[in-house]
Amino acid sequence: MNTTGAARRWIRYGTAALLCSVLALTGILTPDRPPTYVGTKAASLKAGNAKGAAQSVRGIYVSGWVAGNHAKMNQLRQLLRDTDLNAVVIDVKNDFGRLTYRSGAADVKRSGADQTPTIPNIKQLLHKLHQEHVYTIGRVVVFKDPYLAKKQPQLAIRRQDGGVWLDGHGRPWVDPYRQEVWKYNINIAAEAAKLGFDEIQFDYVRFPEGITSKHVKLANANGWTRAEAIRQFLHQAKSPVHRNGAKVSADVFGLVTSASDDMGIGQRWRSIGQEVDYISPMIYPSHYGNGIYGVRDPDMHPYAIVSHAMADAKKRNQAMAASGLKPAKLRPWLQSFTATWVHPHMVYDKQAVKEQIKALHDQGVNDFLLWSAACKYNYR
């Protein structure tokens, strides 16, 4: 398996996603199992007779900028009303380390990460969505946090010479071994659950790609593997989120469904899947290396890529169940954007999205999330 080539595709995608987010900010772009709820609060006050409560979860990503824009958010709410989509994934803490709302958490107030909120009244927004029976998922970007890494450089990943390590885009990350970082993100997640989100989704719950002990120094006082550090974080995070009435999910690289190791990023299917309620592999065909699963030009073959990835994911869940572990339920991310930086590539129109969904259904998977950094969806 060409994990190096795939990692490069993920890096290229990150650049494009960042560009789309910036363009959305400037206005150039406008971007069969029911879910169960923890506690009486989620069942009666939050979700109520939620649209997603009696059927599979089918959601879309909504950036903080779009969620805070009345006109753009109304367009997406209309899309939900007009289709069988019934869920939204809204940024709580974004890829820049900024919160999208004014936080009451003391460590967030000290850091200033909530000083540029894009959602004026997040409780009101969640109330409106719940009134329309929409299942709400709060996205918390964890270890890709350039804001916190700059504000508190002692928490950042360090180079061997002691300086702050920067990724290929010149951004620092916080050290996933640092339990101060864990506490910071767990407090944010618990607060978001208390505000009314039905589920908290941890994204970038991993180490950066391509770093080795030759390049960086990590604060690994316990001698854990990277995969164990990620598992321990999720293990600590789930109880506070559950206590506040929300489910827990985690995003993972698409290749995690099939890879035999953690690819250096600390993501193993088994270790993550035993700690969360839902696991969301990002199985975007554009992100796979040429020849994966025997498929040439993966972006041109959405059905084949999604089908292979889900078949492997199901096998891993079956193996977990056979060993006595309760696996997380599958809810993959699907591609709802055109990867113009991939050659060759195809336009991901309504038909391409349908092909991916058909591949899921043929594998017996009905839940899915659609990703578009610009929050534009070809679904009607």
Side-chain angles (χ1 to χ4, degrees), residues 177-213:
Y177 284 114
R178 289 277 186 185
Q179 296 203 29
E180 307 98 304
V181 174
W182 297 10
K183 180 181 177 183
Y184 178 78
N185 282 279
I186 291 169
N187 286 344
I188 292 168
E191 179 181 61
K194 192 173 182 179
L195 284 169
F197 280 100
D198 299 303
E199 179 178 320
I200 301 301
Q201 179 189 89
F202 292 112
D203 197 4
Y204 285 90
V205 59
R206 62 175 178 85
F207 290 74
E209 310 97 310
I211 61 169
T212 70
S213 57

PDB file of all heavy atoms in Angstrom, residues 177-213:
ATOM      1  N   TYR A 177       0.880  14.382  22.912  1.00  0.00           N
ATOM      2  CA  TYR A 177       1.186  13.746  24.192  1.00  0.00           C
ATOM      3  C   TYR A 177       0.910  14.680  25.377  1.00  0.00           C
ATOM      4  O   TYR A 177       0.865  14.233  26.524  1.00  0.00           O
ATOM      5  CB  TYR A 177       2.651  13.327  24.244  1.00  0.00           C
ATOM      6  CG  TYR A 177       2.984  12.086  23.444  1.00  0.00           C
ATOM      7  CD1 TYR A 177       3.822  12.155  22.334  1.00  0.00           C
ATOM      8  CD2 TYR A 177       2.483  10.832  23.805  1.00  0.00           C
ATOM      9  CE1 TYR A 177       4.144  11.017  21.605  1.00  0.00           C
ATOM     10  CE2 TYR A 177       2.799   9.698  23.087  1.00  0.00           C
ATOM     11  CZ  TYR A 177       3.630   9.783  21.988  1.00  0.00           C
ATOM     12  OH  TYR A 177       3.946   8.659  21.267  1.00  0.00           O
ATOM     13  N   ARG A 178       0.736  15.961  25.131  1.00  0.00           N
ATOM     14  CA  ARG A 178       0.574  16.933  26.202  1.00  0.00           C
ATOM     15  C   ARG A 178      -0.836  16.860  26.800  1.00  0.00           C
ATOM     16  O   ARG A 178      -1.825  17.204  26.144  1.00  0.00           O
ATOM     17  CB  ARG A 178       0.812  18.348  25.670  1.00  0.00           C
ATOM     18  CG  ARG A 178       2.252  18.666  25.329  1.00  0.00           C
ATOM     19  CD  ARG A 178       2.997  19.080  26.571  1.00  0.00           C
ATOM     20  NE  ARG A 178       4.354  19.521  26.257  1.00  0.00           N
ATOM     21  CZ  ARG A 178       5.239  19.843  27.173  1.00  0.00           C
ATOM     22  NH1 ARG A 178       4.908  19.792  28.451  1.00  0.00           N
ATOM     23  NH2 ARG A 178       6.458  20.233  26.825  1.00  0.00           N
ATOM     24  N   GLN A 179      -0.938  16.470  28.055  1.00  0.00           N
ATOM     25  CA  GLN A 179      -2.256  16.321  28.660  1.00  0.00           C
ATOM     26  C   GLN A 179      -2.899  17.672  28.965  1.00  0.00           C
ATOM     27  O   GLN A 179      -4.121  17.746  29.137  1.00  0.00           O
ATOM     28  CB  GLN A 179      -2.168  15.429  29.896  1.00  0.00           C
ATOM     29  CG  GLN A 179      -1.729  14.013  29.525  1.00  0.00           C
ATOM     30  CD  GLN A 179      -2.119  12.963  30.527  1.00  0.00           C
ATOM     31  OE1 GLN A 179      -3.116  13.085  31.231  1.00  0.00           O
ATOM     32  NE2 GLN A 179      -1.329  11.894  30.588  1.00  0.00           N
ATOM     33  N   GLU A 180      -2.094  18.743  29.007  1.00  0.00           N
ATOM     34  CA  GLU A 180      -2.706  20.079  29.111  1.00  0.00           C
ATOM     35  C   GLU A 180      -3.534  20.376  27.867  1.00  0.00           C
ATOM     36  O   GLU A 180      -4.588  21.011  27.933  1.00  0.00           O
ATOM     37  CB  GLU A 180      -1.625  21.152  29.281  1.00  0.00           C
ATOM     38  CG  GLU A 180      -0.647  20.910  30.405  1.00  0.00           C
ATOM     39  CD  GLU A 180       0.643  20.293  29.886  1.00  0.00           C
ATOM     40  OE1 GLU A 180       0.580  19.224  29.229  1.00  0.00           O
ATOM     41  OE2 GLU A 180       1.707  20.876  30.139  1.00  0.00           O
ATOM     42  N   VAL A 181      -3.043  19.898  26.722  1.00  0.00           N
ATOM     43  CA  VAL A 181      -3.777  20.060  25.463  1.00  0.00           C
ATOM     44  C   VAL A 181      -5.046  19.214  25.484  1.00  0.00           C
ATOM     45  O   VAL A 181      -6.107  19.655  25.016  1.00  0.00           O
ATOM     46  CB  VAL A 181      -2.889  19.681  24.262  1.00  0.00           C
ATOM     47  CG1 VAL A 181      -3.682  19.692  22.960  1.00  0.00           C
ATOM     48  CG2 VAL A 181      -1.688  20.616  24.161  1.00  0.00           C
ATOM     49  N   TRP A 182      -4.952  18.013  26.051  1.00  0.00           N
ATOM     50  CA  TRP A 182      -6.135  17.166  26.171  1.00  0.00           C
ATOM     51  C   TRP A 182      -7.219  17.893  26.966  1.00  0.00           C
ATOM     52  O   TRP A 182      -8.378  17.960  26.542  1.00  0.00           O
ATOM     53  CB  TRP A 182      -5.804  15.864  26.889  1.00  0.00           C
ATOM     54  CG  TRP A 182      -4.831  14.958  26.222  1.00  0.00           C
ATOM     55  CD1 TRP A 182      -4.048  15.213  25.139  1.00  0.00           C
ATOM     56  CD2 TRP A 182      -4.524  13.624  26.630  1.00  0.00           C
ATOM     57  NE1 TRP A 182      -3.266  14.127  24.837  1.00  0.00           N
ATOM     58  CE2 TRP A 182      -3.531  13.141  25.728  1.00  0.00           C
ATOM     59  CE3 TRP A 182      -4.974  12.805  27.648  1.00  0.00           C
ATOM     60  CZ2 TRP A 182      -2.999  11.859  25.842  1.00  0.00           C
ATOM     61  CZ3 TRP A 182      -4.448  11.520  27.770  1.00  0.00           C
ATOM     62  CH2 TRP A 182      -3.470  11.057  26.865  1.00  0.00           C
ATOM     63  N   LYS A 183      -6.826  18.401  28.130  1.00  0.00           N
ATOM     64  CA  LYS A 183      -7.799  19.051  29.013  1.00  0.00           C
ATOM     65  C   LYS A 183      -8.464  20.233  28.312  1.00  0.00           C
ATOM     66  O   LYS A 183      -9.686  20.428  28.419  1.00  0.00           O
ATOM     67  CB  LYS A 183      -7.102  19.520  30.286  1.00  0.00           C
ATOM     68  CG  LYS A 183      -8.033  20.204  31.284  1.00  0.00           C
ATOM     69  CD  LYS A 183      -7.272  20.679  32.515  1.00  0.00           C
ATOM     70  CE  LYS A 183      -8.204  21.429  33.462  1.00  0.00           C
ATOM     71  NZ  LYS A 183      -7.475  21.958  34.645  1.00  0.00           N
ATOM     72  N   TYR A 184      -7.671  21.019  27.606  1.00  0.00           N
ATOM     73  CA  TYR A 184      -8.180  22.186  26.885  1.00  0.00           C
ATOM     74  C   TYR A 184      -9.266  21.773  25.897  1.00  0.00           C
ATOM     75  O   TYR A 184     -10.357  22.357  25.861  1.00  0.00           O
ATOM     76  CB  TYR A 184      -7.005  22.853  26.172  1.00  0.00           C
ATOM     77  CG  TYR A 184      -7.319  24.061  25.326  1.00  0.00           C
ATOM     78  CD1 TYR A 184      -7.548  25.313  25.902  1.00  0.00           C
ATOM     79  CD2 TYR A 184      -7.342  23.972  23.930  1.00  0.00           C
ATOM     80  CE1 TYR A 184      -7.799  26.425  25.120  1.00  0.00           C
ATOM     81  CE2 TYR A 184      -7.588  25.094  23.141  1.00  0.00           C
ATOM     82  CZ  TYR A 184      -7.818  26.313  23.745  1.00  0.00           C
ATOM     83  OH  TYR A 184      -8.057  27.417  22.966  1.00  0.00           O
ATOM     84  N   ASN A 185      -8.996  20.752  25.112  1.00  0.00           N
ATOM     85  CA  ASN A 185      -9.967  20.306  24.107  1.00  0.00           C
ATOM     86  C   ASN A 185     -11.156  19.593  24.724  1.00  0.00           C
ATOM     87  O   ASN A 185     -12.287  19.725  24.231  1.00  0.00           O
ATOM     88  CB  ASN A 185      -9.269  19.408  23.086  1.00  0.00           C
ATOM     89  CG  ASN A 185      -8.466  20.201  22.079  1.00  0.00           C
ATOM     90  OD1 ASN A 185      -8.996  20.727  21.117  1.00  0.00           O
ATOM     91  ND2 ASN A 185      -7.152  20.297  22.312  1.00  0.00           N
ATOM     92  N   ILE A 186     -10.931  18.861  25.785  1.00  0.00           N
ATOM     93  CA  ILE A 186     -12.042  18.181  26.450  1.00  0.00           C
ATOM     94  C   ILE A 186     -12.994  19.198  27.063  1.00  0.00           C
ATOM     95  O   ILE A 186     -14.228  19.036  27.004  1.00  0.00           O
ATOM     96  CB  ILE A 186     -11.513  17.181  27.501  1.00  0.00           C
ATOM     97  CG1 ILE A 186     -10.827  16.001  26.802  1.00  0.00           C
ATOM     98  CG2 ILE A 186     -12.640  16.687  28.396  1.00  0.00           C
ATOM     99  CD1 ILE A 186     -10.050  15.086  27.731  1.00  0.00           C
ATOM    100  N   ASN A 187     -12.455  20.262  27.640  1.00  0.00           N
ATOM    101  CA  ASN A 187     -13.313  21.313  28.196  1.00  0.00           C
ATOM    102  C   ASN A 187     -14.171  21.960  27.115  1.00  0.00           C
ATOM    103  O   ASN A 187     -15.356  22.259  27.326  1.00  0.00           O
ATOM    104  CB  ASN A 187     -12.460  22.381  28.887  1.00  0.00           C
ATOM    105  CG  ASN A 187     -11.891  21.909  30.210  1.00  0.00           C
ATOM    106  OD1 ASN A 187     -12.337  20.910  30.776  1.00  0.00           O
ATOM    107  ND2 ASN A 187     -10.887  22.616  30.713  1.00  0.00           N
ATOM    108  N   ILE A 188     -13.584  22.178  25.947  1.00  0.00           N
ATOM    109  CA  ILE A 188     -14.340  22.746  24.827  1.00  0.00           C
ATOM    110  C   ILE A 188     -15.438  21.784  24.381  1.00  0.00           C
ATOM    111  O   ILE A 188     -16.591  22.183  24.158  1.00  0.00           O
ATOM    112  CB  ILE A 188     -13.398  23.085  23.661  1.00  0.00           C
ATOM    113  CG1 ILE A 188     -12.476  24.241  24.036  1.00  0.00           C
ATOM    114  CG2 ILE A 188     -14.189  23.416  22.392  1.00  0.00           C
ATOM    115  CD1 ILE A 188     -11.331  24.466  23.071  1.00  0.00           C
ATOM    116  N   ALA A 189     -15.088  20.507  24.264  1.00  0.00           N
ATOM    117  CA  ALA A 189     -16.064  19.505  23.821  1.00  0.00           C
ATOM    118  C   ALA A 189     -17.217  19.384  24.806  1.00  0.00           C
ATOM    119  O   ALA A 189     -18.396  19.314  24.405  1.00  0.00           O
ATOM    120  CB  ALA A 189     -15.365  18.158  23.645  1.00  0.00           C
ATOM    121  N   ALA A 190     -16.904  19.359  26.099  1.00  0.00           N
ATOM    122  CA  ALA A 190     -17.949  19.242  27.110  1.00  0.00           C
ATOM    123  C   ALA A 190     -18.855  20.469  27.101  1.00  0.00           C
ATOM    124  O   ALA A 190     -20.087  20.359  27.244  1.00  0.00           O
ATOM    125  CB  ALA A 190     -17.324  19.048  28.488  1.00  0.00           C
ATOM    126  N   GLU A 191     -18.259  21.649  26.916  1.00  0.00           N
ATOM    127  CA  GLU A 191     -19.059  22.866  26.850  1.00  0.00           C
ATOM    128  C   GLU A 191     -19.994  22.841  25.643  1.00  0.00           C
ATOM    129  O   GLU A 191     -21.173  23.211  25.749  1.00  0.00           O
ATOM    130  CB  GLU A 191     -18.155  24.091  26.772  1.00  0.00           C
ATOM    131  CG  GLU A 191     -18.931  25.403  26.676  1.00  0.00           C
ATOM    132  CD  GLU A 191     -18.023  26.611  26.578  1.00  0.00           C
ATOM    133  OE1 GLU A 191     -17.236  26.696  25.606  1.00  0.00           O
ATOM    134  OE2 GLU A 191     -18.105  27.477  27.476  1.00  0.00           O
ATOM    135  N   ALA A 192     -19.473  22.384  24.494  1.00  0.00           N
ATOM    136  CA  ALA A 192     -20.303  22.322  23.287  1.00  0.00           C
ATOM    137  C   ALA A 192     -21.465  21.352  23.471  1.00  0.00           C
ATOM    138  O   ALA A 192     -22.591  21.610  23.023  1.00  0.00           O
ATOM    139  CB  ALA A 192     -19.457  21.919  22.086  1.00  0.00           C
ATOM    140  N   ALA A 193     -21.206  20.230  24.133  1.00  0.00           N
ATOM    141  CA  ALA A 193     -22.287  19.276  24.411  1.00  0.00           C
ATOM    142  C   ALA A 193     -23.334  19.917  25.317  1.00  0.00           C
ATOM    143  O   ALA A 193     -24.544  19.767  25.107  1.00  0.00           O
ATOM    144  CB  ALA A 193     -21.715  18.023  25.062  1.00  0.00           C
ATOM    145  N   LYS A 194     -22.866  20.650  26.315  1.00  0.00           N
ATOM    146  CA  LYS A 194     -23.795  21.309  27.242  1.00  0.00           C
ATOM    147  C   LYS A 194     -24.616  22.387  26.547  1.00  0.00           C
ATOM    148  O   LYS A 194     -25.780  22.629  26.890  1.00  0.00           O
ATOM    149  CB  LYS A 194     -23.005  21.907  28.407  1.00  0.00           C
ATOM    150  CG  LYS A 194     -23.848  22.376  29.575  1.00  0.00           C
ATOM    151  CD  LYS A 194     -22.971  22.792  30.738  1.00  0.00           C
ATOM    152  CE  LYS A 194     -23.818  23.211  31.933  1.00  0.00           C
ATOM    153  NZ  LYS A 194     -22.957  23.592  33.092  1.00  0.00           N
ATOM    154  N   LEU A 195     -24.025  23.040  25.548  1.00  0.00           N
ATOM    155  CA  LEU A 195     -24.742  24.072  24.803  1.00  0.00           C
ATOM    156  C   LEU A 195     -25.893  23.502  23.985  1.00  0.00           C
ATOM    157  O   LEU A 195     -26.822  24.217  23.632  1.00  0.00           O
ATOM    158  CB  LEU A 195     -23.776  24.812  23.872  1.00  0.00           C
ATOM    159  CG  LEU A 195     -22.851  25.827  24.534  1.00  0.00           C
ATOM    160  CD1 LEU A 195     -21.776  26.285  23.553  1.00  0.00           C
ATOM    161  CD2 LEU A 195     -23.637  27.021  25.053  1.00  0.00           C
ATOM    162  N   GLY A 196     -25.812  22.206  23.656  1.00  0.00           N
ATOM    163  CA  GLY A 196     -26.927  21.591  22.937  1.00  0.00           C
ATOM    164  C   GLY A 196     -26.584  20.699  21.780  1.00  0.00           C
ATOM    165  O   GLY A 196     -27.483  20.152  21.140  1.00  0.00           O
ATOM    166  N   PHE A 197     -25.302  20.536  21.433  1.00  0.00           N
ATOM    167  CA  PHE A 197     -24.965  19.618  20.343  1.00  0.00           C
ATOM    168  C   PHE A 197     -25.327  18.183  20.730  1.00  0.00           C
ATOM    169  O   PHE A 197     -25.121  17.760  21.867  1.00  0.00           O
ATOM    170  CB  PHE A 197     -23.474  19.694  20.011  1.00  0.00           C
ATOM    171  CG  PHE A 197     -23.102  20.872  19.158  1.00  0.00           C
ATOM    172  CD1 PHE A 197     -22.542  22.017  19.724  1.00  0.00           C
ATOM    173  CD2 PHE A 197     -23.314  20.840  17.790  1.00  0.00           C
ATOM    174  CE1 PHE A 197     -22.202  23.105  18.938  1.00  0.00           C
ATOM    175  CE2 PHE A 197     -22.975  21.933  16.990  1.00  0.00           C
ATOM    176  CZ  PHE A 197     -22.422  23.064  17.567  1.00  0.00           C
ATOM    177  N   ASP A 198     -25.856  17.442  19.770  1.00  0.00           N
ATOM    178  CA  ASP A 198     -26.206  16.040  19.992  1.00  0.00           C
ATOM    179  C   ASP A 198     -24.983  15.126  19.986  1.00  0.00           C
ATOM    180  O   ASP A 198     -25.035  14.023  20.527  1.00  0.00           O
ATOM    181  CB  ASP A 198     -27.174  15.560  18.896  1.00  0.00           C
ATOM    182  CG  ASP A 198     -28.471  16.351  18.899  1.00  0.00           C
ATOM    183  OD1 ASP A 198     -29.142  16.370  19.945  1.00  0.00           O
ATOM    184  OD2 ASP A 198     -28.794  16.954  17.862  1.00  0.00           O
ATOM    185  N   GLU A 199     -23.916  15.596  19.346  1.00  0.00           N
ATOM    186  CA  GLU A 199     -22.712  14.768  19.202  1.00  0.00           C
ATOM    187  C   GLU A 199     -21.505  15.684  19.068  1.00  0.00           C
ATOM    188  O   GLU A 199     -21.604  16.776  18.489  1.00  0.00           O
ATOM    189  CB  GLU A 199     -22.853  13.881  17.962  1.00  0.00           C
ATOM    190  CG  GLU A 199     -21.677  12.982  17.655  1.00  0.00           C
ATOM    191  CD  GLU A 199     -21.960  12.105  16.418  1.00  0.00           C
ATOM    192  OE1 GLU A 199     -23.114  11.629  16.288  1.00  0.00           O
ATOM    193  OE2 GLU A 199     -21.053  11.932  15.598  1.00  0.00           O
ATOM    194  N   ILE A 200     -20.376  15.240  19.605  1.00  0.00           N
ATOM    195  CA  ILE A 200     -19.116  15.945  19.427  1.00  0.00           C
ATOM    196  C   ILE A 200     -18.212  15.077  18.565  1.00  0.00           C
ATOM    197  O   ILE A 200     -17.993  13.900  18.866  1.00  0.00           O
ATOM    198  CB  ILE A 200     -18.426  16.246  20.771  1.00  0.00           C
ATOM    199  CG1 ILE A 200     -19.339  17.087  21.661  1.00  0.00           C
ATOM    200  CG2 ILE A 200     -17.080  16.936  20.531  1.00  0.00           C
ATOM    201  CD1 ILE A 200     -19.761  18.418  21.072  1.00  0.00           C
ATOM    202  N   GLN A 201     -17.700  15.687  17.504  1.00  0.00           N
ATOM    203  CA  GLN A 201     -16.833  14.976  16.567  1.00  0.00           C
ATOM    204  C   GLN A 201     -15.417  15.539  16.670  1.00  0.00           C
ATOM    205  O   GLN A 201     -15.201  16.731  16.451  1.00  0.00           O
ATOM    206  CB  GLN A 201     -17.357  15.148  15.141  1.00  0.00           C
ATOM    207  CG  GLN A 201     -16.523  14.475  14.068  1.00  0.00           C
ATOM    208  CD  GLN A 201     -16.981  14.885  12.681  1.00  0.00           C
ATOM    209  OE1 GLN A 201     -16.525  15.866  12.118  1.00  0.00           O
ATOM    210  NE2 GLN A 201     -17.937  14.138  12.120  1.00  0.00           N
ATOM    211  N   PHE A 202     -14.464  14.685  17.019  1.00  0.00           N
ATOM    212  CA  PHE A 202     -13.066  15.091  17.104  1.00  0.00           C
ATOM    213  C   PHE A 202     -12.395  14.865  15.751  1.00  0.00           C
ATOM    214  O   PHE A 202     -12.373  13.751  15.236  1.00  0.00           O
ATOM    215  CB  PHE A 202     -12.345  14.308  18.193  1.00  0.00           C
ATOM    216  CG  PHE A 202     -12.814  14.633  19.591  1.00  0.00           C
ATOM    217  CD1 PHE A 202     -13.515  13.697  20.349  1.00  0.00           C
ATOM    218  CD2 PHE A 202     -12.560  15.884  20.139  1.00  0.00           C
ATOM    219  CE1 PHE A 202     -13.946  13.996  21.623  1.00  0.00           C
ATOM    220  CE2 PHE A 202     -12.999  16.198  21.421  1.00  0.00           C
ATOM    221  CZ  PHE A 202     -13.685  15.254  22.163  1.00  0.00           C
ATOM    222  N   ASP A 203     -11.843  15.950  15.197  1.00  0.00           N
ATOM    223  CA  ASP A 203     -11.126  15.891  13.930  1.00  0.00           C
ATOM    224  C   ASP A 203      -9.651  16.214  14.195  1.00  0.00           C
ATOM    225  O   ASP A 203      -9.304  16.800  15.220  1.00  0.00           O
ATOM    226  CB  ASP A 203     -11.723  16.887  12.941  1.00  0.00           C
ATOM    227  CG  ASP A 203     -11.323  16.609  11.494  1.00  0.00           C
ATOM    228  OD1 ASP A 203     -10.642  15.597  11.243  1.00  0.00           O
ATOM    229  OD2 ASP A 203     -11.697  17.409  10.614  1.00  0.00           O
ATOM    230  N   TYR A 204      -8.784  15.836  13.267  1.00  0.00           N
ATOM    231  CA  TYR A 204      -7.338  15.981  13.462  1.00  0.00           C
ATOM    232  C   TYR A 204      -6.943  15.429  14.826  1.00  0.00           C
ATOM    233  O   TYR A 204      -6.124  16.017  15.531  1.00  0.00           O
ATOM    234  CB  TYR A 204      -6.902  17.438  13.297  1.00  0.00           C
ATOM    235  CG  TYR A 204      -6.889  17.879  11.853  1.00  0.00           C
ATOM    236  CD1 TYR A 204      -8.023  18.436  11.269  1.00  0.00           C
ATOM    237  CD2 TYR A 204      -5.756  17.714  11.061  1.00  0.00           C
ATOM    238  CE1 TYR A 204      -8.025  18.827   9.938  1.00  0.00           C
ATOM    239  CE2 TYR A 204      -5.746  18.100   9.730  1.00  0.00           C
ATOM    240  CZ  TYR A 204      -6.881  18.658   9.167  1.00  0.00           C
ATOM    241  OH  TYR A 204      -6.883  19.041   7.856  1.00  0.00           O
ATOM    242  N   VAL A 205      -7.552  14.299  15.166  1.00  0.00           N
ATOM    243  CA  VAL A 205      -7.190  13.617  16.402  1.00  0.00           C
ATOM    244  C   VAL A 205      -6.069  12.635  16.041  1.00  0.00           C
ATOM    245  O   VAL A 205      -6.244  11.430  15.983  1.00  0.00           O
ATOM    246  CB  VAL A 205      -8.433  12.965  17.058  1.00  0.00           C
ATOM    247  CG1 VAL A 205      -9.104  11.960  16.149  1.00  0.00           C
ATOM    248  CG2 VAL A 205      -8.087  12.364  18.405  1.00  0.00           C
ATOM    249  N   ARG A 206      -4.906  13.233  15.775  1.00  0.00           N
ATOM    250  CA  ARG A 206      -3.773  12.480  15.246  1.00  0.00           C
ATOM    251  C   ARG A 206      -2.503  13.316  15.320  1.00  0.00           C
ATOM    252  O   ARG A 206      -2.536  14.518  15.631  1.00  0.00           O
ATOM    253  CB  ARG A 206      -4.027  12.095  13.791  1.00  0.00           C
ATOM    254  CG  ARG A 206      -4.194  13.299  12.847  1.00  0.00           C
ATOM    255  CD  ARG A 206      -4.320  12.846  11.407  1.00  0.00           C
ATOM    256  NE  ARG A 206      -4.520  13.942  10.456  1.00  0.00           N
ATOM    257  CZ  ARG A 206      -3.556  14.670   9.915  1.00  0.00           C
ATOM    258  NH1 ARG A 206      -2.278  14.448  10.265  1.00  0.00           N
ATOM    259  NH2 ARG A 206      -3.824  15.624   9.041  1.00  0.00           N
ATOM    260  N   PHE A 207      -1.396  12.674  15.023  1.00  0.00           N
ATOM    261  CA  PHE A 207      -0.116  13.349  14.855  1.00  0.00           C
ATOM    262  C   PHE A 207      -0.017  13.836  13.398  1.00  0.00           C
ATOM    263  O   PHE A 207      -0.652  13.278  12.508  1.00  0.00           O
ATOM    264  CB  PHE A 207       1.035  12.393  15.154  1.00  0.00           C
ATOM    265  CG  PHE A 207       1.173  12.031  16.609  1.00  0.00           C
ATOM    266  CD1 PHE A 207       0.281  11.146  17.217  1.00  0.00           C
ATOM    267  CD2 PHE A 207       2.199  12.551  17.379  1.00  0.00           C
ATOM    268  CE1 PHE A 207       0.404  10.806  18.557  1.00  0.00           C
ATOM    269  CE2 PHE A 207       2.336  12.223  18.715  1.00  0.00           C
ATOM    270  CZ  PHE A 207       1.428  11.355  19.311  1.00  0.00           C
ATOM    271  N   PRO A 208       0.826  14.841  13.152  1.00  0.00           N
ATOM    272  CA  PRO A 208       1.039  15.265  11.760  1.00  0.00           C
ATOM    273  C   PRO A 208       1.682  14.142  10.949  1.00  0.00           C
ATOM    274  O   PRO A 208       2.379  13.285  11.498  1.00  0.00           O
ATOM    275  CB  PRO A 208       1.989  16.461  11.884  1.00  0.00           C
ATOM    276  CG  PRO A 208       1.928  16.882  13.311  1.00  0.00           C
ATOM    277  CD  PRO A 208       1.600  15.660  14.105  1.00  0.00           C
ATOM    278  N   GLU A 209       1.467  14.189   9.631  1.00  0.00           N
ATOM    279  CA  GLU A 209       2.090  13.201   8.755  1.00  0.00           C
ATOM    280  C   GLU A 209       3.590  13.452   8.656  1.00  0.00           C
ATOM    281  O   GLU A 209       4.039  14.588   8.642  1.00  0.00           O
ATOM    282  CB  GLU A 209       1.517  13.258   7.340  1.00  0.00           C
ATOM    283  CG  GLU A 209       0.015  13.230   7.235  1.00  0.00           C
ATOM    284  CD  GLU A 209      -0.581  14.605   7.092  1.00  0.00           C
ATOM    285  OE1 GLU A 209      -0.238  15.501   7.900  1.00  0.00           O
ATOM    286  OE2 GLU A 209      -1.405  14.789   6.171  1.00  0.00           O
ATOM    287  N   GLY A 210       4.339  12.355   8.566  1.00  0.00           N
ATOM    288  CA  GLY A 210       5.734  12.432   8.165  1.00  0.00           C
ATOM    289  C   GLY A 210       6.734  12.843   9.222  1.00  0.00           C
ATOM    290  O   GLY A 210       7.906  13.038   8.908  1.00  0.00           O
ATOM    291  N   ILE A 211       6.329  12.991  10.483  1.00  0.00           N
ATOM    292  CA  ILE A 211       7.311  13.362  11.498  1.00  0.00           C
ATOM    293  C   ILE A 211       7.869  12.107  12.170  1.00  0.00           C
ATOM    294  O   ILE A 211       7.151  11.158  12.450  1.00  0.00           O
ATOM    295  CB  ILE A 211       6.734  14.321  12.560  1.00  0.00           C
ATOM    296  CG1 ILE A 211       5.554  13.678  13.319  1.00  0.00           C
ATOM    297  CG2 ILE A 211       6.303  15.630  11.935  1.00  0.00           C
ATOM    298  CD1 ILE A 211       5.140  14.464  14.542  1.00  0.00           C
ATOM    299  N   THR A 212       9.164  12.095  12.408  1.00  0.00           N
ATOM    300  CA  THR A 212       9.818  10.985  13.099  1.00  0.00           C
ATOM    301  C   THR A 212      10.635  11.542  14.258  1.00  0.00           C
ATOM    302  O   THR A 212      10.807  12.762  14.396  1.00  0.00           O
ATOM    303  CB  THR A 212      10.758  10.216  12.151  1.00  0.00           C
ATOM    304  OG1 THR A 212      11.889  11.066  11.845  1.00  0.00           O
ATOM    305  CG2 THR A 212      10.055   9.833  10.857  1.00  0.00           C
ATOM    306  N   SER A 213      11.132  10.651  15.093  1.00  0.00           N
ATOM    307  CA  SER A 213      11.934  11.079  16.244  1.00  0.00           C
ATOM    308  C   SER A 213      13.219  11.773  15.807  1.00  0.00           C
ATOM    309  O   SER A 213      13.849  12.483  16.582  1.00  0.00           O
ATOM    310  CB  SER A 213      12.259   9.876  17.136  1.00  0.00           C
ATOM    311  OG  SER A 213      12.931   8.878  16.384  1.00  0.00           O
TER     312      SER A 213
END
